[in-house]
Amino acid sequence: MDVWQKELLTGLLLFLAVSIVGGMTGLFMPLALLLTLGMLMRQLFQINRFERWIRTGGRAKYPKTTGIWEEIYYHVYRIKKNEKKRKKKLGKMVDQFRQSTEALPDAAVVLGANDEIEWANKAAREVFGLQQSDKGQRIPNLIRFPEFIRYLKSGNYNEPVILPSPVNHRTTLAVRIIAYGAGLRLLLAQDVTELKRMERMRKDFVANVSHELRTPLTVLKGYLETLQDMDDGESPLLTTSFQQMQGQTERMQHLVDDLLLLTRLETRQKKTECVNIPALLIQICKEAETMNGKASAPALAPYLHPVGNVSSRIELTLETDKHITGEEQELRSAFTNLLGNALKYSPEDSVVKVRWYRFNDSIVLDVEDQGEGIAAADIPRVTERFYRSEVKRVKKVGGTGLGLAIVKHVLMRHDAKLNIVSELGKGSCFSCHFPVKRACN
Ligand code: ADP
């Protein structure tokens, strides 16, 4: 029998006793009233005791009682005890989390919806010079670098932003923001001073080596030309040796030139002017034709309608006359590389289409060929330095493997993106997407 049934039974037995005694004495009504009043008073007393106990938190051992009230006290006491245990466990976990994030070598700052600091670990306090009292302050008021404020406002946190530490300008930080929860963001900063130093050393080394190679190469080329001029052709071995030596020095010259160009792209400040892209494309197509050793290009039609075949192989279409803010020399290198590749990696009797047009929020240059194409697995890698995809070619095609790396760098410096669509055996289309905000005419 459970307590509730017991309680009910006690009530019924009392009522029965009152009925019997009341029946015998003729005082049933007063006795029944007395019983009801007594039971009511008992319940009121219990409620009052319970309220006092719960008001003090219900954590102390509950008062001694019996019946249903003992059950109620016991269950509430158990719930409170479990809650206390859970709270303790949670507190321990939060402490452990705090301790581990405090010990992290990377700086971590939790930002609220209005960029205010909610919490920062030890590394963040050291690297950004934050104080405990800065809690609640807006982070742009404390880290005032314009590039950081731009990054924070942009909402695009795919790439980290590189900043000097506000405390020590010799420390370089890669700062990244991760959005989570409702409007919360975690700012992480990693010390990349050593990494940047190594990168600078690598760049300096490549720049110095390429620069130093230029003079001996020029001397070698000069002597080789003299020797070739002196060659009377009597020894076929000598003639082929000279030809091979010339081929190799030219290849080396291309390598050195490309490496120097890449170094310049990485280190030189951006210059900007309004570049007439349609005129540049016409010129590049004409030059490509001349390089191919074909007849000179036919007269060119004005912009804004297809220019037609500027050569037997190149079909240039100018659908927009938009100019782009940028560096003409850099853009020339990038476009020449794309066109050169399209001509190089496609059959000599195939057409290469060059198209300059507007598409949504971009102004696009397409260079499309009907050549050998690129395997899907190679597409993400062809813009890496020295990467040349392994395709069985009928004839050996020369190259440095640096052309597309140059294209990628140039486009990056112009806020543009390179898109490659290619299929083995069918051809490739390289598209350069310039944001329309770069248009300048
Ligand atoms: P390079 O042409 O000097 O080898 P690039 O960096 O210009 O170096 O190109 C890298 C590789 O990408 C090339 O070796 C070639 O395999 C592939 N590639 C580039 N452009 C094309 C193209 N239009 N068609 C097919 N393959 C291409």
Side-chain angles (χ1 to χ4, degrees):
M1 195 187 297
D2 67 20
V3 274
W4 172 242
Q5 286 163 332
K6 265 190 203 160
E7 197 86 359
L8 202 67
L9 194 70
T10 316
L12 282 174
L13 284 175
L14 279 172
F15 189 71
L16 198 69
V18 165
S19 308
I20 295 168
V21 177
M24 278 164 40
T25 56
L27 292 172
F28 174 72
M29 279 311 278
L31 281 177
L33 203 69
L34 214 63
L35 176 68
T36 317
L37 214 65
M39 283 171 87
L40 196 70
M41 289 306 285
R42 183 176 164 254
Q43 294 305 330
L44 276 175
F45 170 74
Q46 291 286 19
I47 290 172
N48 179 268
R49 220 160 53 147
F50 181 73
E51 192 272 333
R52 259 186 297 143
W53 178 71
I54 207 92
R55 197 179 339 130
T56 53
R59 281 186 292 273
K61 188 79 185 130
Y62 51 89
K64 212 162 171 49
T65 182
T66 51
I68 189 92
W69 278 102
E70 189 181 16
E71 282 292 296
I72 293 173
Y73 274 113
Y74 171 71
H75 287 302
V76 174
Y77 178 74
R78 222 187 45 192
I79 291 169
K80 286 273 175 190
K81 209 170 158 187
N82 283 346
E83 195 186 316
K84 196 173 149 190
K85 250 197 220 159
R86 250 205 324 270
K87 257 192 191 162
K88 210 167 152 187
K89 206 167 145 193
L90 214 67
K92 218 166 142 188
M93 269 166 73
V94 170
D95 274 355
Q96 274 174 356
F97 173 74
R98 289 229 161 131
Q99 274 168 15
S100 58
T101 43
E102 279 288 307
L104 270 181
D106 294 345
V109 183
V110 174
L111 298 177
N114 294 318
D115 302 334
E116 72 279 14
I117 298 174
E118 297 213 336
W119 173 84
N121 71 351
K122 187 164 161 259
R125 291 195 294 276
E126 281 171 8
V127 97
F128 292 124
L130 300 177
Q131 312 282 325
Q132 288 285 11
S133 56
D134 288 333
K135 202 170 160 195
Q137 291 262 23
R138 293 189 67 240
I139 198 140
N141 297 339
L142 302 167
I143 305 173
R144 291 164 173 269
F145 297 109
E147 56 270 48
F148 172 70
I149 294 174
R150 258 198 310 275
Y151 177 70
L152 190 68
K153 277 191 188 153
S154 73
N156 176 7
Y157 307 133
N158 292 339
E159 295 290 323
V161 61
I162 306 293
L163 304 172
S165 152
V167 181
N168 177 1
H169 282 243
R170 267 180 296 200
T171 305
T172 309
L173 302 172
V175 178
R176 165 166 239 152
I177 293 180
I178 297 149
Y180 72 98
L184 287 177
R185 279 158 304 159
L186 178 67
L187 180 147
L188 291 175
Q190 194 181 16
D191 185 342
V192 289
T193 315
E194 194 55 21
L195 212 76
K196 288 282 155 193
R197 197 178 67 85
M198 302 284 278
E199 207 174 292
R200 221 173 11 255
M201 269 171 64
R202 190 226 356 123
K203 280 181 194 165
D204 289 350
F205 175 76
V206 174
N208 289 340
V209 168
S210 331
H211 194 77
E212 291 304 321
L213 278 174
R214 280 175 94 180
T215 319
L217 208 57
T218 315
V219 174
L220 273 177
K221 268 177 77 180
Y223 277 121
L224 201 59
E225 271 168 31
T226 316
L227 286 172
Q228 272 182 313
D229 286 345
M230 285 162 58
D231 181 24
D232 50 16
E234 275 189 17
S235 161
L237 179 66
L238 266 188
T239 310
T240 44
S241 303
F242 285 151
Q243 276 165 0
Q244 274 181 14
M245 281 160 83
Q246 195 209 11
Q248 291 305 321
T249 42
E250 246 162 42
R251 188 173 134 71
M252 209 158 153
Q253 181 81 55
H254 279 141
L255 259 171
V256 169
D257 289 346
D258 281 356
L259 279 173
L260 279 173
L261 178 59
L262 263 174
T263 308
R264 276 205 301 276
L265 288 174
E266 281 178 337
T267 51
R268 203 170 51 183
Q269 284 286 315
K270 284 187 242 180
K271 272 200 292 168
T272 46
E273 51 189 321
C274 192
V275 185
N276 182 343
I277 303 288
L280 182 68
L281 288 175
I282 292 172
Q283 207 181 1
I284 288 171
C285 291
K286 268 165 100 180
E287 280 166 11
E289 176 62 16
T290 320
M291 294 280 281
N292 257 9
K294 302 261 171 70
S296 62
L300 299 165
Y303 304 161
L304 286 178
H305 61 79
V307 172
N309 280 25
V310 292
S311 77
S312 47
R313 285 196 64 191
I314 306 167
E315 198 180 293
L316 173 63
T317 316
L318 299 170
E319 291 173 20
T320 174
D321 67 345
K322 286 277 174 250
H323 297 190
I324 291 285
T325 309
E327 240 267 49
E328 178 163 353
Q329 249 347 84
E330 291 183 8
L331 291 169
R332 175 188 289 277
S333 297
F335 298 166
T336 309
N337 268 312
L338 288 180
L339 184 59
N341 279 351
L343 293 167
K344 204 160 69 167
Y345 296 111
S346 59
E348 277 174 18
D349 54 354
S350 67
V351 171
V352 170
K353 290 182 185 161
V354 180
R355 185 172 163 225
W356 180 239
Y357 61 102
R358 166 104 191 237
F359 181 71
N360 295 339
D361 285 341
S362 305
I363 306 173
V364 189
L365 172 75
D366 276 357
V367 180
E368 191 181 346
D369 63 57
Q370 300 158 352
E372 63 190 45
I374 306 168
D378 283 334
I379 293 179
R381 300 204 58 193
V382 286
T383 52
E384 287 173 19
R385 286 170 194 213
F386 298 111
Y387 191 83
R388 306 199 70 212
S389 61
E390 298 284 325
V391 177
K392 283 201 177 70
R393 298 182 174 115
V394 186
K395 63 180 170 78
K396 202 169 174 302
V397 182
T400 59
L402 291 171
L404 290 179
I406 291 174
V407 173
K408 196 172 106 177
H409 263 279
V410 170
L411 293 186
M412 242 161 57
R413 279 162 70 89
H414 288 79
D415 306 321
K417 283 200 176 76
L418 179 69
N419 192 29
I420 308 172
V421 179
S422 186
E423 206 179 321
L424 269 183
K426 293 218 166 131
S428 317
C429 181
F430 287 76
S431 309
C432 310
H433 292 254
F434 294 87
V436 82
K437 63 173 193 276
R438 279 245 165 204
C440 53
N441 62 327

